Amino acid sequence: MPASAALTLTPIAVTRSCFKDKFGVPRQPGLTRHAWADLVIQPPFDREDAFRGLEDCSHIWLTFQFHAAVRAEWRPTIRPPRLGGNKKVGVFASRSPFRPNSLGLSVVRNEGLRREKGQLVLRIREHDLIEGTPILDIKPYLPFADALPDAHLAWAAEPPTTRLSVEFTETAEAQLKAIDEKQCPDFRSLIEDVVAYDPRPSFRRGRDEQRIYGAHLYGYNVRFRFDDIAVTVLTVTLLD
């Protein structure tokens, strides 16, 4: 097939996510156990037969499109956050969302299939997908083949272990208590995971302690502020 030939991909599902935009999304899946999403299976793929046996899979691979990062042109190098945003590596040596075909790959926890108002829905957890993400394929994660203990990547050898301490103002605590846990499961823990790993761009860290940031989680705007060693959640309010 010539390089100029185009492929047509049809999404098999669309994501309903706790993450409503890019800011605050974990940089890798699995960094928060408290991120939930529903994959709404699209016709003609919404047949239980197509998912027979998936209940035996604890984890699944998702191939998806970085639909909020599609660009007209691609660049051969990027600046990974793990390198402080200063050193470049090749795009194919990275997991940047800014790629020639805007394709992503994540392992997520399978929480089961159900029918909801006539739609087939696959619930997942421990993900890094924003609202509306098109899912292009679903495959089972095979522990004996996909977990490679001798694999390595020199510039990202260790998982991120540094977490800021998280505090909630009295206002934020009261607002959280009023939120329906069924609509926003593990909401407090999700907020803690999102802000503790510091979602700011690298060039912002240590420079803007008075700046207030906001992340859109479920239907809420979570506002927070950083200092050198901690982050304070200020308010949790409904999005307009």
Side-chain angles (χ1 to χ4, degrees), residues 17 21 44 102 120 122 130 141 214 229 235 239:
S17 175
D21 56 26
S102 303
L120 192 61
L122 177 62
I130 68 171
Y141 178 89
I229 59 172
T235 57
L239 288 168

Side-chain angles (χ1 to χ4, degrees), residues 149-181:
D150 59 340
H152 68 277
L153 176 59
W155 54 266
E158 300 295 333
T161 55
T162 301
R163 286 173 57 107
L164 299 172
S165 63
V166 181
E167 301 173 352
F168 290 78
T169 64
E170 291 184 3
T171 298
E173 292 281 13
Q175 291 167 333
L176 278 170
K177 288 180 180 177
I179 295 172
D180 186 352
E181 174 69 17

Side-chain angles (χ1 to χ4, degrees), residues 19-222:
F19 302 116
K20 299 306 178 184
D21 56 26
K22 292 183 290 184
F23 184 69
V25 176
R27 291 190 172 94
Q28 302 297 337
L31 286 183
T32 172
R33 294 176 294 120
H34 310 290
W36 294 80
D38 287 329
L39 307 184
V40 183
I41 311 302
Q42 303 296 292
F45 312 109
D46 56 341
R47 299 172 53 179
E48 280 84 350
D49 279 355
F51 297 87
R52 185 183 302 169
L54 196 69
E55 66 274 8
D56 296 326
C57 306
S58 67
H59 292 75
I60 53 179
W61 286 105
L62 300 178
T63 303
F64 59 92
Q65 183 191 37
F66 289 110
H67 68 295
V70 175
R71 294 179 173 178
E73 297 181 356
W74 67 280
R75 296 179 181 178
T77 59
I78 59 95
R79 301 176 188 268
R82 287 294 293 272
L83 296 178
N86 297 315
K87 184 178 179 180
K88 291 184 178 181
V89 301
V91 66
F92 299 125
S94 80
R95 294 175 64 148
S96 167
F98 302 106
R99 321 185 65 80
N101 290 308
S102 303
L103 295 182
L105 183 67
S106 289
V107 174
V108 301
R109 183 177 291 275
N110 173 24
E111 293 289 342
L113 198 68
R114 70 184 189 278
R115 281 280 174 187
E116 182 180 286
K117 297 180 180 179
Q119 294 180 308
L120 192 61
V121 177
L122 177 62
R123 173 147 277 206
I124 62 170
R125 186 158 57 95
E126 302 177 17
H127 70 92
D128 58 347
L129 308 175
I130 68 171
E131 182 76 11
T133 296
I135 304 300
L136 303 174
D137 200 8
I138 300 171
K139 293 183 176 71
Y141 178 89
L142 301 181
F144 74 88
D146 296 336
L148 305 175
D150 59 340
H152 68 277
L153 176 59
W155 54 266
E158 300 295 333
T161 55
T162 301
R163 286 173 57 107
L164 299 172
S165 63
V166 181
E167 301 173 352
F168 290 78
T169 64
E170 291 184 3
T171 298
E173 292 281 13
Q175 291 167 333
L176 278 170
K177 288 180 180 177
I179 295 172
D180 186 352
E181 174 69 17
K182 292 182 179 179
Q183 298 297 322
C184 306
D186 303 328
F187 198 15
R188 183 193 176 96
S189 297
L190 173 63
I191 293 172
E192 289 179 345
D193 283 345
V194 166
V195 302
Y197 282 119
D198 197 344
R200 294 176 295 175
S202 299
F203 70 88
R204 286 283 186 190
R205 296 176 184 176
R207 299 183 182 182
D208 57 355
E209 283 75 9
Q210 299 306 311
R211 180 168 178 168
I212 296 176
Y213 288 86
H216 295 168
L217 305 177
Y218 291 108
Y220 293 85
N221 183 18
V222 180

